[in-house]
Amino acid sequence: MGVRRASNLHVRRDGVDHQQGAEVSCAICFSVAVAIMPVALILAGLAALAVGGEVLVRGATTIARLSGLTPAVIGLTVVAMGTSLPELVVSLLAASRGSPSIAIGNVIGSNLFNIVGILAITAMVVRLPVRGSVVKIEWPFMFAASWIGVMFMRDGVVDRLEGGTFLAALLLFTTYAVWLARQEMQAAEAAQFSAETEARSLPPRAREMGVAVALLAAGIVLLILGGNWLVDGAVVVARNLGMTERVIGLTIVAAGTSSPELAASLIAARRGQTDVAVGNLIGSNIFNVLGILGVTALVTPIAVPPEAIRVDAWWMLGTSFVLFPLMRRRLELGRAEGAILLLSYGIYLGQLLRG
């Protein structure tokens, strides 16, 4: 009898231990799933933004070509603005959902990443020629836009009036750029725009207005979905890691939304298509400040975090300023200039993550 009781007691203990072990395993699996979910949302959001942006640009470019616009005009408007649509969607959603630090951080971080990240890495792969118009027109306009952006941020909010001013300035710049392209564009630049427009369009057999409009609609849907997923995931990751939304916006979100431009720049560099590389990235920075901040502020005023005013905005302005003498010296950017820009980005990231 005693042996039987002891045996039963042993079986019960084994059952309890097994049940507790199963509960612990389930708890661990649940914790891992909770930790992975926001990261998966970020990755899915970035993928949807990249695909959606590309699909939308292809549809819009095809519509523009079927409407009779020239490659230069399409390249300076549809393609240039279309490549920044992921940043626009993310900043717009973040600001409207109460995460202004991500909205501002995305714009400032994207501008930094374009110049001291993408441009630096590309220049270290292949020498980038600098067109005269970049030094005389596009860089001054980018620096002026960045300066005005910093001034508008200093009171802690970018309001609707300032957003409208940004958009008016963007319209003025785009109109002037298109006019200048028609008057003074060189043959090599025209060929580059033509090649880029051709690459961004649908294949000849599929160039129908209905197909292009369908792609345009699909791109918009993917951008909205991707933007929501990215913002949701970024907010949760920031909370789980004890990081601020400002840091997440300046790093993961900004680099993620700009990663298609990095890939495109490296591919173009490998193919020797470098004639408009510098101008494209400077144009993207102009659209980030005037277009993204302008549209977002017009929809909902953006509260600017104090750290963004004291530190990040001035880094954006400072790197924009440093770019000028690097371009002006030899009218090209090579490994030395790329290394200087990349080093400055490393210093900024180190300061950001320590602080």
Side-chain angles (χ1 to χ4, degrees), residues 50-330:
V51 174
E54 181 64 22
V55 168
L56 187 146
V57 169
R58 284 183 181 273
T61 301
T62 302
I63 292 172
R65 293 190 71 172
L66 292 173
S67 301
L69 296 180
T70 65
V73 173
I74 295 171
L76 289 167
T77 55
V78 177
V79 175
M81 295 179 185
T83 54
S84 294
L85 281 177
E87 289 96 325
L88 173 60
V89 172
V90 169
S91 289
L92 191 58
L93 289 172
S96 62
R97 293 168 58 180
S99 297
S101 295
I102 293 179
I104 289 290
N106 181 38
V107 172
I108 295 176
S110 292
N111 274 22
L112 282 167
F113 191 68
N114 280 348
I115 298 300
V116 293
I118 297 176
L119 194 58
I121 293 171
T122 308
M124 295 181 73
V125 173
V126 61
R127 289 188 176 277
L128 299 175
V130 178
R131 293 181 287 119
S133 64
V134 171
V135 176
K136 297 177 181 178
I137 299 169
E138 293 163 22
W139 180 89
F141 205 93
M142 179 191 73
F143 186 77
S146 300
W147 176 264
I148 294 171
V150 172
M151 295 299 102
F152 282 178
M153 292 179 195
R154 291 188 67 195
D155 63 352
V157 64
V158 181
D159 59 30
R160 288 189 172 91
L161 178 60
E162 292 163 340
T165 303
F166 279 146
L167 289 178
L170 178 63
L171 179 62
L172 178 66
F173 170 75
T174 303
T175 303
Y176 179 70
V178 170
W179 175 84
L180 189 67
R182 288 175 170 172
Q183 299 295 320
E184 301 181 7
M185 181 168 290
Q186 299 176 2
E189 296 171 4
Q192 182 70 43
F193 275 118
S194 181
E196 185 176 16
T197 302
E198 179 67 27
R200 294 280 188 170
S201 302
L202 290 172
R205 294 181 180 178
R207 285 178 192 168
E208 297 180 2
M209 187 63 74
V211 176
V213 171
L215 280 180
L216 188 69
I220 292 172
V221 171
L222 284 172
L223 284 173
I224 293 173
L225 287 175
N228 275 296
W229 293 339
L230 179 58
V231 172
D232 288 342
V235 170
V236 175
V237 166
R239 290 173 182 169
N240 290 345
L241 297 180
M243 301 173 68
T244 63
E245 292 183 1
R246 162 182 167 255
V247 173
I248 293 294
L250 286 163
T251 53
I252 295 175
V253 175
T257 55
S258 297
S259 56
E261 292 171 351
L262 172 60
S265 295
L266 290 176
I267 291 171
R270 288 294 186 185
R271 293 174 177 173
Q273 300 170 346
T274 58
D275 290 337
V276 295
V278 179
N280 282 350
L281 288 171
I282 289 179
S284 178
N285 277 17
I286 293 172
F287 183 78
N288 284 348
V289 174
L290 301 182
I292 295 175
L293 282 184
V295 171
T296 305
L298 206 59
V299 173
T300 175
I302 313 170
V304 184
E307 296 86 355
I309 302 170
R310 291 198 306 266
V311 179
D312 308 321
W314 292 104
W315 267 94
M316 177 184 70
L317 193 63
T319 53
S320 298
F321 179 78
V322 168
L323 180 62
F324 181 76
L326 295 179
M327 294 190 305
R328 185 69 178 84
R329 190 164 64 95
R330 295 184 302 176

Side-chain angles (χ1 to χ4, degrees), residues 33-47:
V34 170
I36 291 177
M37 184 60 70
V39 177
L41 272 178
I42 290 176
L43 294 176
L46 291 174

